[in-house]
PDB file of all heavy atoms in Angstrom:
ATOM      1  N   PRO W 187     -60.865  32.323  12.626  1.00  0.00           N
ATOM      2  CA  PRO W 187     -61.216  32.522  14.033  1.00  0.00           C
ATOM      3  C   PRO W 187     -62.103  31.387  14.577  1.00  0.00           C
ATOM      4  O   PRO W 187     -61.990  30.990  15.730  1.00  0.00           O
ATOM      5  CB  PRO W 187     -61.979  33.851  14.063  1.00  0.00           C
ATOM      6  CG  PRO W 187     -61.565  34.542  12.812  1.00  0.00           C
ATOM      7  CD  PRO W 187     -61.318  33.472  11.804  1.00  0.00           C
ATOM      8  N   TRP W 188     -62.962  30.870  13.716  1.00  0.00           N
ATOM      9  CA  TRP W 188     -63.826  29.758  14.147  1.00  0.00           C
ATOM     10  C   TRP W 188     -62.960  28.565  14.553  1.00  0.00           C
ATOM     11  O   TRP W 188     -63.174  27.960  15.601  1.00  0.00           O
ATOM     12  CB  TRP W 188     -64.792  29.384  13.026  1.00  0.00           C
ATOM     13  CG  TRP W 188     -65.692  28.219  13.368  1.00  0.00           C
ATOM     14  CD1 TRP W 188     -66.811  28.240  14.153  1.00  0.00           C
ATOM     15  CD2 TRP W 188     -65.505  26.854  12.947  1.00  0.00           C
ATOM     16  NE1 TRP W 188     -67.328  26.965  14.257  1.00  0.00           N
ATOM     17  CE2 TRP W 188     -66.564  26.109  13.541  1.00  0.00           C
ATOM     18  CE3 TRP W 188     -64.569  26.203  12.162  1.00  0.00           C
ATOM     19  CZ2 TRP W 188     -66.693  24.733  13.346  1.00  0.00           C
ATOM     20  CZ3 TRP W 188     -64.707  24.832  11.975  1.00  0.00           C
ATOM     21  CH2 TRP W 188     -65.750  24.120  12.549  1.00  0.00           C
ATOM     22  N   VAL W 189     -61.972  28.240  13.712  1.00  0.00           N
ATOM     23  CA  VAL W 189     -61.091  27.102  14.038  1.00  0.00           C
ATOM     24  C   VAL W 189     -60.291  27.365  15.315  1.00  0.00           C
ATOM     25  O   VAL W 189     -60.203  26.503  16.191  1.00  0.00           O
ATOM     26  CB  VAL W 189     -60.122  26.787  12.860  1.00  0.00           C
ATOM     27  CG1 VAL W 189     -59.029  25.839  13.281  1.00  0.00           C
ATOM     28  CG2 VAL W 189     -60.884  26.223  11.657  1.00  0.00           C
ATOM     29  N   VAL W 190     -59.731  28.562  15.425  1.00  0.00           N
ATOM     30  CA  VAL W 190     -58.865  28.836  16.597  1.00  0.00           C
ATOM     31  C   VAL W 190     -59.703  28.834  17.883  1.00  0.00           C
ATOM     32  O   VAL W 190     -59.300  28.288  18.906  1.00  0.00           O
ATOM     33  CB  VAL W 190     -58.051  30.149  16.405  1.00  0.00           C
ATOM     34  CG1 VAL W 190     -57.251  30.466  17.657  1.00  0.00           C
ATOM     35  CG2 VAL W 190     -57.135  30.023  15.199  1.00  0.00           C
ATOM     36  N   ASN W 191     -60.906  29.397  17.820  1.00  0.00           N
ATOM     37  CA  ASN W 191     -61.806  29.321  19.006  1.00  0.00           C
ATOM     38  C   ASN W 191     -62.124  27.872  19.360  1.00  0.00           C
ATOM     39  O   ASN W 191     -62.141  27.485  20.521  1.00  0.00           O
ATOM     40  CB  ASN W 191     -63.104  30.095  18.751  1.00  0.00           C
ATOM     41  CG  ASN W 191     -62.971  31.584  19.012  1.00  0.00           C
ATOM     42  OD1 ASN W 191     -62.462  32.002  20.067  1.00  0.00           O
ATOM     43  ND2 ASN W 191     -63.394  32.403  18.061  1.00  0.00           N
ATOM     44  N   ALA W 192     -62.352  27.064  18.327  1.00  0.00           N
ATOM     45  CA  ALA W 192     -62.705  25.633  18.583  1.00  0.00           C
ATOM     46  C   ALA W 192     -61.512  24.866  19.161  1.00  0.00           C
ATOM     47  O   ALA W 192     -61.687  24.011  20.047  1.00  0.00           O
ATOM     48  CB  ALA W 192     -63.221  24.994  17.310  1.00  0.00           C
ATOM     49  N   ILE W 193     -60.304  25.180  18.700  1.00  0.00           N
ATOM     50  CA  ILE W 193     -59.117  24.516  19.286  1.00  0.00           C
ATOM     51  C   ILE W 193     -58.991  24.943  20.750  1.00  0.00           C
ATOM     52  O   ILE W 193     -58.758  24.120  21.641  1.00  0.00           O
ATOM     53  CB  ILE W 193     -57.846  24.859  18.473  1.00  0.00           C
ATOM     54  CG1 ILE W 193     -57.908  24.229  17.073  1.00  0.00           C
ATOM     55  CG2 ILE W 193     -56.599  24.394  19.209  1.00  0.00           C
ATOM     56  CD1 ILE W 193     -56.748  24.621  16.141  1.00  0.00           C
ATOM     57  N   ALA W 194     -59.155  26.256  20.987  1.00  0.00           N
ATOM     58  CA  ALA W 194     -59.017  26.767  22.361  1.00  0.00           C
ATOM     59  C   ALA W 194     -60.052  26.154  23.293  1.00  0.00           C
ATOM     60  O   ALA W 194     -59.799  25.914  24.459  1.00  0.00           O
ATOM     61  CB  ALA W 194     -59.140  28.280  22.362  1.00  0.00           C
ATOM     62  N   ALA W 195     -61.237  25.876  22.751  1.00  0.00           N
ATOM     63  CA  ALA W 195     -62.320  25.302  23.565  1.00  0.00           C
ATOM     64  C   ALA W 195     -62.204  23.777  23.630  1.00  0.00           C
ATOM     65  O   ALA W 195     -63.088  23.101  24.179  1.00  0.00           O
ATOM     66  CB  ALA W 195     -63.677  25.701  22.995  1.00  0.00           C
ATOM     67  N   ASN W 196     -61.142  23.243  23.026  1.00  0.00           N
ATOM     68  CA  ASN W 196     -60.926  21.785  22.995  1.00  0.00           C
ATOM     69  C   ASN W 196     -61.995  21.055  22.204  1.00  0.00           C
ATOM     70  O   ASN W 196     -62.275  19.877  22.456  1.00  0.00           O
ATOM     71  CB  ASN W 196     -60.808  21.237  24.417  1.00  0.00           C
ATOM     72  CG  ASN W 196     -59.973  19.960  24.435  1.00  0.00           C
ATOM     73  OD1 ASN W 196     -59.143  19.747  23.544  1.00  0.00           O
ATOM     74  ND2 ASN W 196     -60.220  19.107  25.411  1.00  0.00           N
ATOM     75  N   ASP W 197     -62.617  21.722  21.255  1.00  0.00           N
ATOM     76  CA  ASP W 197     -63.572  21.072  20.364  1.00  0.00           C
ATOM     77  C   ASP W 197     -62.888  20.552  19.086  1.00  0.00           C
ATOM     78  O   ASP W 197     -63.485  19.808  18.317  1.00  0.00           O
ATOM     79  CB  ASP W 197     -64.703  22.035  19.971  1.00  0.00           C
ATOM     80  CG  ASP W 197     -65.717  22.163  21.105  1.00  0.00           C
ATOM     81  OD1 ASP W 197     -66.161  21.107  21.608  1.00  0.00           O
ATOM     82  OD2 ASP W 197     -66.045  23.278  21.508  1.00  0.00           O
ATOM     83  N   ILE W 198     -61.657  21.007  18.887  1.00  0.00           N
ATOM     84  CA  ILE W 198     -60.806  20.421  17.835  1.00  0.00           C
ATOM     85  C   ILE W 198     -59.486  20.107  18.517  1.00  0.00           C
ATOM     86  O   ILE W 198     -58.964  20.937  19.276  1.00  0.00           O
ATOM     87  CB  ILE W 198     -60.567  21.424  16.661  1.00  0.00           C
ATOM     88  CG1 ILE W 198     -61.879  21.776  15.963  1.00  0.00           C
ATOM     89  CG2 ILE W 198     -59.567  20.827  15.657  1.00  0.00           C
ATOM     90  CD1 ILE W 198     -61.741  22.789  14.827  1.00  0.00           C
ATOM     91  N   ALA W 199     -58.961  18.922  18.259  1.00  0.00           N
ATOM     92  CA  ALA W 199     -57.663  18.545  18.876  1.00  0.00           C
ATOM     93  C   ALA W 199     -56.823  17.787  17.857  1.00  0.00           C
ATOM     94  O   ALA W 199     -57.338  17.333  16.829  1.00  0.00           O
ATOM     95  CB  ALA W 199     -57.916  17.714  20.130  1.00  0.00           C
ATOM     96  N   TYR W 200     -55.545  17.686  18.185  1.00  0.00           N
ATOM     97  CA  TYR W 200     -54.586  16.992  17.295  1.00  0.00           C
ATOM     98  C   TYR W 200     -54.243  15.654  17.917  1.00  0.00           C
ATOM     99  O   TYR W 200     -53.789  15.601  19.052  1.00  0.00           O
ATOM    100  CB  TYR W 200     -53.346  17.874  17.210  1.00  0.00           C
ATOM    101  CG  TYR W 200     -52.223  17.335  16.347  1.00  0.00           C
ATOM    102  CD1 TYR W 200     -52.248  17.504  14.969  1.00  0.00           C
ATOM    103  CD2 TYR W 200     -51.117  16.685  16.925  1.00  0.00           C
ATOM    104  CE1 TYR W 200     -51.177  17.051  14.185  1.00  0.00           C
ATOM    105  CE2 TYR W 200     -50.068  16.240  16.139  1.00  0.00           C
ATOM    106  CZ  TYR W 200     -50.120  16.429  14.773  1.00  0.00           C
ATOM    107  OH  TYR W 200     -49.069  15.970  13.986  1.00  0.00           O
ATOM    108  N   ARG W 201     -54.566  14.575  17.204  1.00  0.00           N
ATOM    109  CA  ARG W 201     -54.250  13.225  17.692  1.00  0.00           C
ATOM    110  C   ARG W 201     -53.702  12.392  16.547  1.00  0.00           C
ATOM    111  O   ARG W 201     -54.335  12.337  15.484  1.00  0.00           O
ATOM    112  CB  ARG W 201     -55.507  12.482  18.181  1.00  0.00           C
ATOM    113  CG  ARG W 201     -56.222  13.082  19.327  1.00  0.00           C
ATOM    114  CD  ARG W 201     -55.799  12.520  20.698  1.00  0.00           C
ATOM    115  NE  ARG W 201     -56.683  13.074  21.711  1.00  0.00           N
ATOM    116  CZ  ARG W 201     -56.685  14.335  22.141  1.00  0.00           C
ATOM    117  NH1 ARG W 201     -55.824  15.188  21.639  1.00  0.00           N
ATOM    118  NH2 ARG W 201     -57.517  14.747  23.066  1.00  0.00           N
ATOM    119  N   ASP W 202     -52.609  11.734  16.769  1.00  0.00           N
ATOM    120  CA  ASP W 202     -52.027  10.817  15.761  1.00  0.00           C
ATOM    121  C   ASP W 202     -51.952  11.483  14.392  1.00  0.00           C
ATOM    122  O   ASP W 202     -52.402  10.915  13.376  1.00  0.00           O
ATOM    123  CB  ASP W 202     -52.868   9.522  15.673  1.00  0.00           C
ATOM    124  CG  ASP W 202     -52.967   8.841  17.004  1.00  0.00           C
ATOM    125  OD1 ASP W 202     -51.984   8.878  17.762  1.00  0.00           O
ATOM    126  OD2 ASP W 202     -54.047   8.268  17.282  1.00  0.00           O
ATOM    127  N   ARG W 203     -51.417  12.655  14.382  1.00  0.00           N
ATOM    128  CA  ARG W 203     -51.203  13.400  13.122  1.00  0.00           C
ATOM    129  C   ARG W 203     -52.466  13.676  12.332  1.00  0.00           C
ATOM    130  O   ARG W 203     -52.466  13.717  11.116  1.00  0.00           O
ATOM    131  CB  ARG W 203     -50.204  12.666  12.219  1.00  0.00           C
ATOM    132  CG  ARG W 203     -48.886  12.493  12.930  1.00  0.00           C
ATOM    133  CD  ARG W 203     -47.739  12.466  12.010  1.00  0.00           C
ATOM    134  NE  ARG W 203     -46.520  12.536  12.840  1.00  0.00           N
ATOM    135  CZ  ARG W 203     -45.356  12.081  12.466  1.00  0.00           C
ATOM    136  NH1 ARG W 203     -45.194  11.540  11.309  1.00  0.00           N
ATOM    137  NH2 ARG W 203     -44.314  12.177  13.260  1.00  0.00           N
ATOM    138  N   GLN W 204     -53.565  13.847  13.029  1.00  0.00           N
ATOM    139  CA  GLN W 204     -54.764  14.335  12.334  1.00  0.00           C
ATOM    140  C   GLN W 204     -55.640  15.134  13.305  1.00  0.00           C
ATOM    141  O   GLN W 204     -55.440  15.081  14.533  1.00  0.00           O
ATOM    142  CB  GLN W 204     -55.558  13.205  11.687  1.00  0.00           C
ATOM    143  CG  GLN W 204     -56.046  12.153  12.641  1.00  0.00           C
ATOM    144  CD  GLN W 204     -56.765  11.027  11.931  1.00  0.00           C
ATOM    145  OE1 GLN W 204     -57.252  11.208  10.827  1.00  0.00           O
ATOM    146  NE2 GLN W 204     -56.825   9.884  12.569  1.00  0.00           N
ATOM    147  N   ALA W 205     -56.586  15.866  12.709  1.00  0.00           N
ATOM    148  CA  ALA W 205     -57.509  16.647  13.530  1.00  0.00           C
ATOM    149  C   ALA W 205     -58.660  15.748  13.962  1.00  0.00           C
ATOM    150  O   ALA W 205     -59.155  14.948  13.164  1.00  0.00           O
ATOM    151  CB  ALA W 205     -58.041  17.825  12.745  1.00  0.00           C
ATOM    152  N   ILE W 206     -59.069  15.899  15.221  1.00  0.00           N
ATOM    153  CA  ILE W 206     -60.290  15.218  15.665  1.00  0.00           C
ATOM    154  C   ILE W 206     -61.270  16.269  16.168  1.00  0.00           C
ATOM    155  O   ILE W 206     -60.850  17.344  16.611  1.00  0.00           O
ATOM    156  CB  ILE W 206     -60.044  14.092  16.701  1.00  0.00           C
ATOM    157  CG1 ILE W 206     -59.601  14.668  18.044  1.00  0.00           C
ATOM    158  CG2 ILE W 206     -59.038  13.076  16.209  1.00  0.00           C
ATOM    159  CD1 ILE W 206     -59.678  13.577  19.124  1.00  0.00           C
ATOM    160  N   PHE W 207     -62.552  15.937  16.118  1.00  0.00           N
ATOM    161  CA  PHE W 207     -63.579  16.972  16.296  1.00  0.00           C
ATOM    162  C   PHE W 207     -64.635  16.521  17.315  1.00  0.00           C
ATOM    163  O   PHE W 207     -64.998  15.350  17.353  1.00  0.00           O
ATOM    164  CB  PHE W 207     -64.269  17.230  14.962  1.00  0.00           C
ATOM    165  CG  PHE W 207     -63.314  17.656  13.880  1.00  0.00           C
ATOM    166  CD1 PHE W 207     -62.761  16.714  13.022  1.00  0.00           C
ATOM    167  CD2 PHE W 207     -62.970  18.989  13.743  1.00  0.00           C
ATOM    168  CE1 PHE W 207     -61.852  17.083  12.038  1.00  0.00           C
ATOM    169  CE2 PHE W 207     -62.061  19.365  12.760  1.00  0.00           C
ATOM    170  CZ  PHE W 207     -61.512  18.423  11.911  1.00  0.00           C
ATOM    171  N   SER W 208     -65.144  17.496  18.082  1.00  0.00           N
ATOM    172  CA  SER W 208     -66.243  17.181  18.994  1.00  0.00           C
ATOM    173  C   SER W 208     -67.544  17.175  18.167  1.00  0.00           C
ATOM    174  O   SER W 208     -67.623  17.832  17.119  1.00  0.00           O
ATOM    175  CB  SER W 208     -66.345  18.236  20.096  1.00  0.00           C
ATOM    176  OG  SER W 208     -66.849  19.442  19.560  1.00  0.00           O
ATOM    177  N   PRO W 209     -68.566  16.462  18.642  1.00  0.00           N
ATOM    178  CA  PRO W 209     -69.870  16.493  17.953  1.00  0.00           C
ATOM    179  C   PRO W 209     -70.377  17.935  17.805  1.00  0.00           C
ATOM    180  O   PRO W 209     -70.969  18.295  16.773  1.00  0.00           O
ATOM    181  CB  PRO W 209     -70.783  15.669  18.873  1.00  0.00           C
ATOM    182  CG  PRO W 209     -69.842  14.757  19.618  1.00  0.00           C
ATOM    183  CD  PRO W 209     -68.569  15.551  19.798  1.00  0.00           C
ATOM    184  N   LYS W 210     -70.110  18.774  18.806  1.00  0.00           N
ATOM    185  CA  LYS W 210     -70.567  20.188  18.747  1.00  0.00           C
ATOM    186  C   LYS W 210     -69.960  20.897  17.545  1.00  0.00           C
ATOM    187  O   LYS W 210     -70.653  21.618  16.803  1.00  0.00           O
ATOM    188  CB  LYS W 210     -70.136  20.881  20.050  1.00  0.00           C
ATOM    189  CG  LYS W 210     -70.435  22.361  20.119  1.00  0.00           C
ATOM    190  CD  LYS W 210     -70.100  22.902  21.516  1.00  0.00           C
ATOM    191  CE  LYS W 210     -70.206  24.401  21.575  1.00  0.00           C
ATOM    192  NZ  LYS W 210     -68.955  25.103  21.347  1.00  0.00           N
ATOM    193  N   VAL W 211     -68.664  20.723  17.353  1.00  0.00           N
ATOM    194  CA  VAL W 211     -67.992  21.426  16.270  1.00  0.00           C
ATOM    195  C   VAL W 211     -68.409  20.867  14.897  1.00  0.00           C
ATOM    196  O   VAL W 211     -68.448  21.598  13.900  1.00  0.00           O
ATOM    197  CB  VAL W 211     -66.465  21.450  16.527  1.00  0.00           C
ATOM    198  CG1 VAL W 211     -65.732  20.428  15.732  1.00  0.00           C
ATOM    199  CG2 VAL W 211     -65.904  22.822  16.281  1.00  0.00           C
ATOM    200  N   ILE W 212     -68.717  19.595  14.861  1.00  0.00           N
ATOM    201  CA  ILE W 212     -69.167  18.989  13.594  1.00  0.00           C
ATOM    202  C   ILE W 212     -70.501  19.634  13.193  1.00  0.00           C
ATOM    203  O   ILE W 212     -70.724  20.002  12.022  1.00  0.00           O
ATOM    204  CB  ILE W 212     -69.286  17.456  13.724  1.00  0.00           C
ATOM    205  CG1 ILE W 212     -67.862  16.872  13.907  1.00  0.00           C
ATOM    206  CG2 ILE W 212     -69.988  16.846  12.522  1.00  0.00           C
ATOM    207  CD1 ILE W 212     -67.825  15.400  14.269  1.00  0.00           C
ATOM    208  N   ALA W 213     -71.368  19.830  14.186  1.00  0.00           N
ATOM    209  CA  ALA W 213     -72.665  20.476  13.905  1.00  0.00           C
ATOM    210  C   ALA W 213     -72.469  21.936  13.502  1.00  0.00           C
ATOM    211  O   ALA W 213     -73.108  22.410  12.546  1.00  0.00           O
ATOM    212  CB  ALA W 213     -73.563  20.381  15.147  1.00  0.00           C
ATOM    213  N   GLU W 214     -71.582  22.627  14.187  1.00  0.00           N
ATOM    214  CA  GLU W 214     -71.315  24.057  13.842  1.00  0.00           C
ATOM    215  C   GLU W 214     -70.741  24.183  12.449  1.00  0.00           C
ATOM    216  O   GLU W 214     -71.107  25.127  11.719  1.00  0.00           O
ATOM    217  CB  GLU W 214     -70.298  24.618  14.824  1.00  0.00           C
ATOM    218  CG  GLU W 214     -70.906  25.191  16.075  1.00  0.00           C
ATOM    219  CD  GLU W 214     -69.816  25.756  17.009  1.00  0.00           C
ATOM    220  OE1 GLU W 214     -68.767  26.211  16.514  1.00  0.00           O
ATOM    221  OE2 GLU W 214     -70.055  25.701  18.209  1.00  0.00           O
ATOM    222  N   ALA W 215     -69.852  23.276  12.084  1.00  0.00           N
ATOM    223  CA  ALA W 215     -69.255  23.333  10.726  1.00  0.00           C
ATOM    224  C   ALA W 215     -70.356  23.216   9.679  1.00  0.00           C
ATOM    225  O   ALA W 215     -70.386  23.959   8.698  1.00  0.00           O
ATOM    226  CB  ALA W 215     -68.220  22.219  10.569  1.00  0.00           C
ATOM    227  N   LYS W 216     -71.267  22.311   9.931  1.00  0.00           N
ATOM    228  CA  LYS W 216     -72.385  22.111   8.981  1.00  0.00           C
ATOM    229  C   LYS W 216     -73.224  23.388   8.869  1.00  0.00           C
ATOM    230  O   LYS W 216     -73.517  23.844   7.774  1.00  0.00           O
ATOM    231  CB  LYS W 216     -73.222  20.958   9.498  1.00  0.00           C
ATOM    232  CG  LYS W 216     -73.993  20.262   8.415  1.00  0.00           C
ATOM    233  CD  LYS W 216     -74.586  18.959   8.930  1.00  0.00           C
ATOM    234  CE  LYS W 216     -75.583  18.480   7.894  1.00  0.00           C
ATOM    235  NZ  LYS W 216     -76.637  17.676   8.468  1.00  0.00           N
ATOM    236  N   ASP W 217     -73.540  23.977  10.010  1.00  0.00           N
ATOM    237  CA  ASP W 217     -74.349  25.220  10.020  1.00  0.00           C
ATOM    238  C   ASP W 217     -73.667  26.337   9.264  1.00  0.00           C
ATOM    239  O   ASP W 217     -74.297  27.166   8.623  1.00  0.00           O
ATOM    240  CB  ASP W 217     -74.599  25.722  11.454  1.00  0.00           C
ATOM    241  CG  ASP W 217     -75.548  24.797  12.205  1.00  0.00           C
ATOM    242  OD1 ASP W 217     -76.173  23.941  11.548  1.00  0.00           O
ATOM    243  OD2 ASP W 217     -75.639  24.924  13.447  1.00  0.00           O
ATOM    244  N   ASN W 218     -72.333  26.401   9.398  1.00  0.00           N
ATOM    245  CA  ASN W 218     -71.565  27.477   8.756  1.00  0.00           C
ATOM    246  C   ASN W 218     -71.188  27.180   7.310  1.00  0.00           C
ATOM    247  O   ASN W 218     -70.589  28.018   6.646  1.00  0.00           O
ATOM    248  CB  ASN W 218     -70.260  27.714   9.526  1.00  0.00           C
ATOM    249  CG  ASN W 218     -70.504  28.494  10.809  1.00  0.00           C
ATOM    250  OD1 ASN W 218     -70.996  29.618  10.794  1.00  0.00           O
ATOM    251  ND2 ASN W 218     -70.167  27.904  11.938  1.00  0.00           N
ATOM    252  N   GLY W 219     -71.456  25.957   6.880  1.00  0.00           N
ATOM    253  CA  GLY W 219     -71.047  25.575   5.517  1.00  0.00           C
ATOM    254  C   GLY W 219     -69.562  25.286   5.404  1.00  0.00           C
ATOM    255  O   GLY W 219     -68.998  25.329   4.310  1.00  0.00           O
ATOM    256  N   PHE W 220     -68.887  24.982   6.535  1.00  0.00           N
ATOM    257  CA  PHE W 220     -67.467  24.635   6.497  1.00  0.00           C
ATOM    258  C   PHE W 220     -67.330  23.137   6.316  1.00  0.00           C
ATOM    259  O   PHE W 220     -68.174  22.355   6.758  1.00  0.00           O
ATOM    260  CB  PHE W 220     -66.761  25.033   7.809  1.00  0.00           C
ATOM    261  CG  PHE W 220     -66.805  26.524   8.101  1.00  0.00           C
ATOM    262  CD1 PHE W 220     -66.790  26.972   9.415  1.00  0.00           C
ATOM    263  CD2 PHE W 220     -66.822  27.453   7.066  1.00  0.00           C
ATOM    264  CE1 PHE W 220     -66.802  28.345   9.701  1.00  0.00           C
ATOM    265  CE2 PHE W 220     -66.844  28.817   7.340  1.00  0.00           C
ATOM    266  CZ  PHE W 220     -66.838  29.262   8.666  1.00  0.00           C
ATOM    267  N   LEU W 221     -66.243  22.729   5.664  1.00  0.00           N
ATOM    268  CA  LEU W 221     -66.016  21.302   5.433  1.00  0.00           C
ATOM    269  C   LEU W 221     -64.948  20.789   6.387  1.00  0.00           C
ATOM    270  O   LEU W 221     -63.895  21.430   6.549  1.00  0.00           O
ATOM    271  CB  LEU W 221     -65.478  21.079   4.019  1.00  0.00           C
ATOM    272  CG  LEU W 221     -66.387  21.427   2.864  1.00  0.00           C
ATOM    273  CD1 LEU W 221     -65.636  21.237   1.563  1.00  0.00           C
ATOM    274  CD2 LEU W 221     -67.629  20.548   2.883  1.00  0.00           C
TER     275      LEU W 221
END
Side-chain angles (χ1 to χ4, degrees):
W188 178 79
V189 167
V190 176
N191 277 311
I193 292 174
N196 207 24
D197 282 310
I198 297 178
Y200 180 82
R201 297 266 187 288
D202 303 325
R203 302 211 170 154
Q204 60 183 336
I206 69 167
F207 303 93
S208 73
K210 175 174 173 266
V211 100
I212 292 170
E214 272 180 29
K216 205 168 167 208
D217 290 348
N218 283 301
F220 299 151
L221 296 175

